[in-house]
Amino acid sequence: MKTKTTGGGPTRRDMLATIVASMTAGAPFAARAQQGTYPNRPIRIIVPWAAGGGGDVLVRAITPSLAQRLGQAVIVDNRPGAIGTIGSQIAAHSLPDGYTLVYGTADSHSIAPHILKTRPYDSKKDFVAIAPIGFTPLTLIVHASSPAKTFEQFLRIARNAKQPPTFGSWGQGSSGHITMEALKQATHVNLLHIPYNGTAPLITAQLAGQVDCAIVPVLVAEQYVQAGTVRMLAVTARERLPSQPNVPIMKELGVDIDMGPWLGFLGPAGLPPDIVQKLSTAITASIAEPQVADAMKKMSMVMDTMSSPAAYQRFCDSEYDRWGKYIRAGKVTLDP
């Protein structure tokens, strides 16, 4: 049956074509409507370190409040290995849609790309900074029997030693190792590096007198300070720590190191600015929650805030450059 027209009116075929065209033109809008307002499904946070470690515990302390603020489940996905680069690389290659974030650290983003022969990613180009958490203060320790009672005495003894004193770190290329390289460069003191596979064997070596000094997180050192087996000489912080008010910060001693390794949240490059801002606001508010502040205090971490994601991006970029300077000067590498 044919549809007749009068007065040049549209045919049935014309009408169908118009309907199809309108449906096609509206498809992108329909797709966006189905997507809804961000977020409308669970968000994954990649933690590039083993479950149960300090970073993992901290992120899991933040996620309940973050999930409540975003109205979606927040899932922690542990992808450890290679100084945090395995998990970070997965995040870098994820879609920039706000559903995959990464817990970034100085080790994974400011240090690893400089010391690995094959760079796993470009820390400045492959990620966007979202929100900081804070930093982990480090401390220079000596055995309780050491003649160095103060940082100044330590430097004097080191400079007068016939052989370079030894210092231990929890690993070649670790943030502890690079911090000591920065200390050596700032004070012009020659120290011989002895790397250990983790803080536990490092502390064991320090207690046994196998190294002259060590650089460790304040949290690791505190129980041994209380036991009277080691002595803190200085900490890397912007101001004296409430838990160790008698231990000077390095800046007081003329060494321009005002913080330990940083911690924060990043996303893959290309993340839309409105999503970055929404995540930043939610994360910052979650970190300010009492239970998170308490968890950070127990781990001797220092909370940090930035005025905006852009300010945090500038910070991350500057940290990449700062740690890289120490690494190049110290000729630190993981590859033969």
Side-chain angles (χ1 to χ4, degrees):
M1 177 179 178
K2 294 182 180 178
T3 302
K4 294 183 180 180
T5 60
T6 58
T11 66
R12 183 176 181 181
R13 178 177 297 176
D14 293 334
M15 293 170 67
L16 288 171
T18 301
I19 292 172
V20 170
S22 64
M23 289 175 63
T24 304
F29 297 98
R32 284 197 290 272
Q34 288 180 353
Q35 289 175 355
T37 303
Y38 171 85
N40 61 7
R41 54 188 171 88
I43 296 169
R44 174 177 65 153
I45 298 179
I46 296 176
V47 174
W49 311 97
D56 178 68
V57 171
L58 179 59
V59 172
R60 291 178 190 274
I62 295 170
T63 52
S65 176
L66 183 59
Q68 185 176 22
R69 292 176 185 282
L70 294 175
Q72 289 292 334
V74 178
I75 301 166
V76 176
D77 183 8
N78 296 92
R79 299 295 186 97
I83 325 177
T85 60
I86 291 176
S88 298
Q89 191 168 30
I90 293 171
H93 294 159
S94 297
L95 289 175
D97 56 7
Y99 292 99
T100 298
L101 312 181
V102 64
Y103 167 72
T105 66
D107 290 77
S108 59
H109 284 76
S110 299
I111 296 175
H114 290 291
I115 63 177
L116 295 172
K117 187 175 183 181
T118 302
R119 184 173 296 185
Y121 40 75
D122 188 317
S123 295
K124 289 186 176 182
K125 295 181 179 179
D126 294 340
F127 297 91
V128 59
I130 297 174
I133 298 175
F135 64 93
T136 303
L138 305 180
T139 180
L140 176 66
I141 60 172
V142 294
H143 194 278
S145 63
S146 170
K149 307 297 183 184
T150 65
F151 183 75
E152 292 86 348
Q153 289 178 350
F154 168 80
L155 293 181
R156 185 164 59 250
I157 291 170
R159 288 178 178 133
N160 294 331
K162 294 181 180 179
Q163 297 294 331
T166 56
F167 79 89
S169 79
W170 63 86
Q172 176 74 10
S174 64
S175 50
H177 176 195
I178 308 305
T179 298
M180 282 300 287
E181 289 294 334
L183 178 63
K184 287 168 56 180
Q185 294 163 29
T187 59
H188 307 289
V189 169
N190 190 16
L191 301 171
L192 178 64
H193 180 219
I194 309 294
Y196 292 86
N197 188 25
T199 54
L202 168 58
I203 285 290
T204 299
Q206 177 68 86
L207 295 177
Q210 295 172 2
V211 290
D212 295 306
C213 64
I215 190 85
V216 296
V218 169
L219 175 64
V220 173
E222 284 182 324
Q223 60 180 308
Y224 299 99
V225 172
Q226 293 171 2
T229 52
V230 303
R231 181 183 303 119
M232 288 188 190
L233 299 182
V235 296
T236 61
R238 293 170 181 156
E239 57 187 24
R240 294 200 180 197
L241 303 178
S243 62
Q244 300 293 334
N246 296 323
V247 181
I249 61 174
M250 288 196 176
K251 273 205 166 184
E252 289 180 61
L253 304 169
V255 180
D256 192 17
I257 303 174
D258 64 357
M259 61 182 288
W262 59 268
L263 322 163
F265 291 102
L266 312 171
L271 199 58
D274 59 329
I275 292 180
V276 171
Q277 185 59 60
K278 186 166 189 174
L279 286 168
S280 177
T281 300
I283 290 169
T284 300
S286 298
I287 292 170
E289 291 283 351
Q291 69 271 20
V292 178
D294 185 58
M296 292 185 69
K297 183 179 179 181
K298 289 179 180 177
M299 290 186 279
S300 296
M301 295 178 177
V302 177
M303 190 182 298
D304 205 1
T305 58
M306 301 277 168
S307 60
S308 66
Y312 186 44
Q313 185 69 63
R314 290 191 294 272
F315 168 82
C316 290
D317 291 346
S318 67
E319 282 294 281
Y320 178 84
D321 295 336
R322 181 173 77 95
W323 290 87
K325 180 184 67 174
Y326 299 142
I327 291 165
R328 288 189 296 274
K331 299 180 181 179
V332 180
T333 180
L334 281 185
D335 300 297

